[in-house]
Amino acid sequence: MRPRAREDERGISPSGREGDTLPAVAEILMGVTGGIAAYKSLDVLRILQRHGHGVSVVMTHTAERFVGSASFAALSGREVGTHLFGDAGQPGYHHLDVTGGKDLMLIAPASANTMSQMATGAANSLLTSCYLAFRGPVVVAPAMNTAMWLHPATARTIETLRADGVHLVDPDTGLLADGAVGPGRLAEPAVIVAAVEAALAGTAAVKDMAGVRVLISAGGTREPIDAVRYVGNHSSGRMGWALAAAAYDRGAEVVVVQANVDLPRQPGIRYVNAPTAREMRDACRAEFTSSDLLLMCAAVADYRPVAAAGGKMDKAEAESLTVALERTTDILAELAALRDDQVLIGFAVEHGPDGLGRARAKRDRKAVDIVVHNDAAVAGAAFGGPDNIITIIGPGEAEIALPRMSKRACAEHILDAARPLVPARTVSA
Ligand code: CTP
């Protein structure tokens, strides 16, 4: 892979400045299998090219019945592989020639048939032979009708592929070619490309955050009412975990200050427990001075019970109980006021139509570089799920609204936006 200067769809670089260098211009081997969604692969190819990637295409024979190989050849500017050497009585391709020099293999759309061959290790087409011979990251975007997608056999296939380390891009739910509405529709091309870039960023070759010290707060604080009860929130910590994994994979030194997160810890990342707002403030302040980048992802309670009762409160005779609450310190705003040259990123979970405006105002009020907005009212963007729908507000006038994608892919976009702001002195990569 080689470095590149990347721009978003509107020609604005993630930092709002020109000439920022981002990693991961890659050589991609794109497999196309049979299905009505095969035409969407042309869009995927174009977006990948616009992002600076080189794309070579292999197709199954069934795919050719939906979209001609000539379309892919014209767009990619390269020959399209359709059959194995000796297959179909014609000179074909040797799979090792096709996979050589490729950084990532993408299969979109992936049919139930091709995926089941991949899961069992069958190598009866050029595409499946390439899959077996390829040693880099593999991204698979399935597409099929709802009944096939929901069949237990497909579920077993998917489970096997995931266990083999394949990055799955879940299909969308919507109107399918057969008129039915349900899961199985190929994910949007932009979402597939984001998954490709997230997988590329996770490969050893991209270490654009080497030497950068990243502090991430994650989870949701719990404020004691008494020894057994608390005021809390629904934050799962998944977004913070995704940011930590992405930053770590990009070579950063990562500290996670976490509140009540019940997710596996990753070797190489340092975790500090901070279950309450007060402990989170103390831990963040202690870690902040030696950090370059703060991602304040935790859902910190804005209020806590004034004086937590020592033991367990007895049920009062009264029909109702009033718990007096006091304001907690706004940790993000406090750290922004204390900053030396750290880059600060806040998160704004807002509800409803004015949310984006409130998130923009929050960025100014808290004096941070970037605010990541997500609308808790939109399906797919809620607490605890694997996906998120975010808008990255800042730096400067830049604003990037992303479609629904995995929290890991969101994390890569957030780091892409933050990376150019981190002072150059910390960069050793
Ligand atoms: N935050 C913080 N300390 C707090 C509360 C929030 O550091 N006591 C941080 C969060 O981690 C997040 C950002 O501030 O990065 C936004 O949190 P939010 O609760 O949405 O903002 P508030 O300032 O509390 O605004 P609102 O009036 O919407 O509650």
Side-chain angles (χ1 to χ4, degrees):
M1 283 185 277
R2 58 187 199 282
R4 62 170 159 167
R6 190 174 72 188
E7 296 180 334
D8 75 3
E9 308 296 276
R10 296 159 304 160
I12 300 169
S13 74
S15 68
R17 297 193 303 254
E18 282 181 18
D20 290 318
T21 306
L22 289 166
V25 169
E27 274 299 321
I28 292 166
L29 177 60
M30 184 162 107
V32 181
T33 78
I36 191 72
Y39 75 94
K40 285 198 198 170
S41 309
L42 295 167
D43 280 342
V44 175
L45 191 159
R46 292 166 89 122
I47 301 175
L48 287 170
Q49 285 182 319
R50 245 192 343 256
H51 286 200
H53 304 294
V55 186
S56 303
V57 176
V58 292
M59 302 177 76
T60 61
H61 294 306
T62 325
E64 282 188 282
R65 298 170 69 167
F66 290 90
V67 185
S69 60
S71 303
F72 287 100
L75 283 183
S76 68
R78 298 176 181 184
E79 274 183 52
V80 172
T82 51
H83 47 269
L84 280 167
F85 184 72
D87 176 24
Q90 301 161 27
Y93 290 84
H94 192 282
H95 50 279
L96 294 182
D97 293 336
V98 181
T99 52
K102 303 297 187 295
D103 297 302
L104 178 141
M105 184 170 183
L106 163 69
I107 299 155
S111 65
N113 180 44
T114 293
M115 287 196 300
S116 98
Q117 289 176 27
M118 288 161 61
T120 56
N124 48 5
S125 71
L126 178 61
L127 194 155
T128 50
S129 302
C130 287
Y131 170 69
L132 275 189
F134 185 62
R135 278 294 158 270
V138 178
V139 176
V140 168
M144 64 197 71
N145 71 48
T146 299
M148 289 170 85
W149 174 250
L150 296 178
H151 197 283
T154 307
R156 280 197 301 275
T157 295
I158 296 288
E159 201 180 321
T160 304
L161 291 178
R162 275 194 214 278
D164 289 346
V166 165
H167 303 262
L168 260 299
V169 186
D170 285 337
D172 281 344
T173 296
L175 184 63
L176 289 139
D178 60 4
V181 174
R185 198 169 69 175
L186 185 70
E188 286 303 315
V191 174
I192 295 171
V193 170
V196 164
E197 297 192 330
L200 282 171
T203 63
V206 184
K207 295 290 183 197
D208 69 325
M209 297 190 83
V212 178
R213 290 157 302 186
V214 178
L215 172 60
I216 298 167
S217 72
T221 65
R222 292 177 184 171
E223 310 305 323
I225 299 171
D226 65 12
V228 294
R229 302 178 180 87
Y230 59 82
V231 180
N233 60 68
H234 290 297
S235 177
S236 66
R238 283 184 200 283
M239 191 62 234
W241 250 234
L243 284 162
Y248 178 78
D249 287 344
R250 289 163 78 148
E253 200 182 298
V254 183
V255 179
V256 178
V257 175
Q258 70 83 26
N260 311 299
V261 179
D262 186 19
L263 293 170
R265 288 358 183 204
Q266 186 179 322
I269 294 177
R270 184 157 64 86
Y271 298 88
V272 178
N273 296 335
T276 64
R278 192 176 273 120
E279 287 160 300
M280 175 139 304
R281 178 194 180 205
D282 292 346
C284 287
R285 277 192 72 143
E287 300 290 342
F288 183 66
T289 28
S290 58
S291 301
D292 301 303
L293 170 64
L294 168 69
L295 294 144
M296 193 72 201
C297 194
V300 185
D302 289 321
Y303 293 90
R304 72 174 143 244
V306 174
K312 178 173 177 284
M313 277 195 302
D314 283 336
K315 202 181 297 163
E317 288 301 312
E319 279 303 303
S320 64
L321 171 71
T322 303
V323 179
L325 303 174
E326 64 184 8
R327 282 294 290 264
T328 60
T329 306
D330 186 325
I331 304 166
L332 184 60
E334 184 179 66
L335 295 178
L338 288 173
R339 79 157 96 180
D340 181 9
D341 54 3
Q342 290 92 341
V343 176
L344 285 88
I345 300 189
F347 288 75
V349 180
E350 303 289 346
H351 218 271
D354 302 331
L356 208 49
R358 283 197 299 276
R360 289 185 192 115
K362 210 166 270 186
R363 182 168 77 112
D364 298 339
R365 196 170 67 241
K366 301 200 185 205
V368 297
D369 301 284
I370 292 172
V371 159
V372 179
H373 163 269
N374 79 301
D375 187 345
V378 176
F383 280 131
D387 296 340
N388 212 345
I389 304 169
I390 60 167
T391 299
I392 301 174
I393 304 169
E397 296 305 305
E399 204 165 296
I400 302 174
L402 296 167
R404 178 179 175 168
M405 60 182 68
S406 71
K407 286 183 174 169
R408 174 59 190 249
C410 289
E412 298 294 349
H413 280 278
I414 294 166
L415 294 181
D416 280 352
R419 179 66 194 80
L421 304 179
V422 177
R425 64 173 170 73
T426 59
V427 182
S428 59

